[in-house]
Amino acid sequence: MAKQRKILVIEDDKSLRGAIVDVLRLKNFLPLEASNGQEGLGMALAEHPDLILLDLLMPVMNGMEALKKIRENEWGKNVPVIVLTVRSATDEKLIEDITSLRPAYYLIKSDWKIHDVVKKIDKILSGKE
Amino acid sequence: MIKKLFNNFVAIFIFCFFAMIGSVLAPIAVSAATNTLAQSKTNSQLEKVAPGELLPVSVKLSNFGGGVKVDVYIKYSITNNQGGEIYSTSDTVAVETTANFTKNLQVPSDIAAGTYIAKTSIIYQGQLTSASSQFTFIVENKILGVFQSDFFLYAGIAVAAGAVLIILTRLFIRRVRLTRFTPLDYRNVPADDRVFYEILSDSIMQMRNHVGDSAIIIAANIKGLNIDEKTGRVLGFTDNPSKVIANLVSEYEKQLGKKVSFSLLRDKIE
């Protein structure tokens, strides 16, 4: 039996996080959950997930801050990250962060269905993208 | 004297016998003496008629009896393949030299589809044996004014043509999509700048996918951004690239009401 891939979902919206986790389970992934950046950072460094799904606007520690710290870690330098946010990339600083921290995707929540996001996860992990 | 002459020399010939359907002629050449059985030759391409329609039969009679007028009794009939008579009618025609006319036979409206025989026989005074000629025709129902077999043929052709058209259209759309929405390759751009080119390019293509070429027009008007206005390819920027991207995304949101997602996974373009 193939090893289940760990996906860390860092999202403060409980209902959205729950929906994503449910779909990931259905697709035979092993989902991990965190409700803010700080909790997500701790879980990422402890669990070394195969991919991180990251919201940007969160309490305690925002997503971009968490991603910076993940990238500073040796393990986290190359872990694939998908940013899933409502925030449009309309400021210069955010673009600079995105280009330096290199998430695989910057996706606007309203434009994407959970199943399509999971398809992207699947493609990234199977090396098709 | 006249009667003797008549008996010995008068010959009525059904000279030519046509079945006409519309403008199509199906000739059946008949040469028949009055007291001999008709010899007939029919065209192999059978004519079609629908139940209730008229079957036009062209008749030509020639009198070789020296100009003496003769009353000829003509019987028309339609029989099925078993010889059963479905319809019959008759006329009497006076023939001095020749007579040409078309007789419309009423095909019964309750006749079953199939192959039938139209037969014309002539009898004139003193003759014991009739001369006759016949031809075969097909009775076929019509659908929307077209014979059933033709209707199915045309419908088949229309369906096949429609299917071909749909396939060609889909291929064309796919080709256009591939041409327009395949990520452009920026491997020729220095690695430090490449990510900015790719984000810009991704954003333009994504918006072009949503709203068409107006996405390119908006991009072309972003200060500091230089693009190919035909393909949307990013040619370069003269301002801080992060600022250019932020301005482009802002303009799309402002003018089109859409936020922009993008991919940074472009290293694997083959």
Side-chain angles (χ1 to χ4, degrees):
Chain A
M1 190 176 159
K3 184 190 159 200
Q4 276 187 307
R5 304 288 196 123
K6 284 185 204 169
I7 311 296
L8 174 58
V9 183
I10 308 174
E11 167 65 63
D12 63 329
D13 182 332
K14 193 178 174 184
S15 58
L16 175 60
R17 193 173 70 238
I20 294 170
V21 163
D22 286 345
V23 176
L24 288 170
R25 275 207 191 94
L26 273 175
K27 297 289 178 184
N28 209 31
F29 290 106
L30 181 61
L32 307 169
E33 298 179 56
S35 60
N36 62 58
Q38 191 165 32
E39 189 185 337
L41 174 64
M43 200 171 277
L45 299 180
E47 295 285 343
H48 290 186
D50 295 286
L51 185 144
I52 298 171
L53 204 54
L54 180 67
D55 187 15
L56 291 189
L57 302 173
M58 289 183 292
V60 188
M61 180 189 284
N62 70 43
M64 209 43 89
E65 198 60 37
L67 181 55
K68 266 182 203 164
K69 295 195 179 298
I70 288 169
R71 291 291 189 232
E72 284 166 11
N73 182 277
E74 188 57 33
W75 163 83
K77 278 195 171 94
N78 296 310
V79 65
V81 173
I82 294 178
V83 170
L84 191 59
T85 181
V86 293
R87 186 182 176 191
S88 197
T90 52
D91 81 71
E92 216 175 307
K93 177 70 174 63
L94 178 59
I95 302 290
E96 281 167 6
D97 285 344
I98 291 167
T99 52
S100 63
L101 299 173
R102 297 286 183 124
Y105 289 101
Y106 186 92
L107 304 181
I108 298 295
K109 281 179 182 171
S110 56
D111 290 347
W112 293 86
K113 292 176 185 163
I114 294 174
H115 280 276
D116 292 327
V117 175
V118 173
K119 273 184 196 170
K120 291 220 171 281
I121 293 173
D122 208 19
K123 279 184 180 176
I124 292 170
L125 294 181
S126 60
K128 288 178 187 166
E129 283 196 26
Chain B
M1 175 73 180
I2 293 170
K3 191 175 179 183
K4 191 178 174 186
L5 190 69
F6 182 82
N7 283 334
N8 290 335
F9 297 107
V10 172
I12 300 287
F13 288 87
I14 303 174
F15 187 71
C16 233
F17 184 61
F18 294 96
M20 298 195 299
I21 306 293
S23 59
V24 179
L25 292 179
I28 303 170
V30 176
S31 176
T34 52
N35 55 357
T36 60
L37 203 61
Q39 295 175 321
S40 65
K41 184 177 149 192
T42 57
N43 193 316
S44 62
Q45 190 176 351
L46 301 181
E47 294 308 323
K48 283 189 282 194
V49 63
E53 286 187 345
L54 296 174
L55 176 68
V57 175
S58 180
V59 179
K60 182 175 182 180
L61 301 171
S62 293
N63 179 359
F64 293 99
V68 178
K69 187 179 277 186
V70 178
D71 285 334
V72 178
Y73 173 80
I74 309 173
K75 183 187 176 189
Y76 310 92
S77 63
I78 295 174
T79 59
N80 60 25
N81 279 337
Q82 287 74 46
E85 193 171 274
I86 308 292
Y87 166 89
S88 72
T89 186
S90 62
D91 280 333
T92 300
V93 179
V95 183
E96 189 167 347
T97 51
T98 60
N100 298 303
F101 58 92
T102 299
K103 175 70 178 176
N104 288 317
L105 306 186
Q106 177 69 56
V107 178
S109 55
D110 58 350
I111 194 170
T115 304
Y116 292 86
I117 297 161
K119 187 174 178 182
T120 303
S121 309
I122 58 167
I123 299 173
Y124 65 95
Q125 65 182 101
Q127 296 302 304
L128 299 176
T129 317
S130 65
S132 66
S133 180
Q134 64 184 46
F135 66 94
T136 305
F137 67 98
I138 292 171
V139 173
E140 190 176 305
N141 290 313
K142 284 185 169 179
I143 299 173
L144 301 172
V146 181
F147 285 112
Q148 214 167 27
S149 57
D150 296 334
F151 180 84
F152 289 126
L153 176 69
Y154 299 149
I157 291 170
V159 168
V164 168
L165 194 65
I166 288 169
I167 290 168
L168 289 176
T169 306
R170 296 186 89 164
L171 286 174
F172 176 74
I173 290 170
R174 195 174 165 191
R175 185 185 158 86
V176 169
R177 278 179 179 270
L178 277 175
T179 309
R180 293 179 65 176
F181 305 124
T182 300
L184 297 169
D185 187 357
Y186 291 96
R187 279 179 295 187
N188 60 326
V189 173
D192 289 347
D193 286 341
R194 195 179 304 154
V195 66
F196 300 108
Y197 279 77
E198 289 170 349
I199 291 174
L200 283 163
S201 188
D202 236 34
S203 304
I204 294 167
M205 291 188 92
Q206 189 192 142
M207 282 300 130
R208 195 181 184 196
N209 195 6
H210 282 305
V211 301
D213 288 344
S214 56
I216 291 183
I217 296 167
I218 292 170
N221 289 313
I222 296 294
K223 190 182 168 194
L225 176 61
N226 183 16
I227 63 163
D228 180 331
E229 292 186 32
K230 279 184 183 170
T231 62
R233 184 178 190 85
V234 178
L235 302 174
F237 32 81
T238 55
D239 206 340
N240 176 341
S242 296
K243 187 178 171 187
V244 171
I245 293 170
N247 286 341
L248 178 67
V249 173
S250 294
E251 279 306 303
Y252 280 151
E253 198 170 336
K254 197 159 59 181
Q255 293 195 37
L256 306 173
K258 288 183 180 294
K259 293 182 176 180
V260 180
S261 300
F262 44 81
S263 165
L264 286 90
L265 284 179
R266 301 292 289 278
D267 292 340
K268 292 184 180 174
I269 291 175
E270 294 300 326

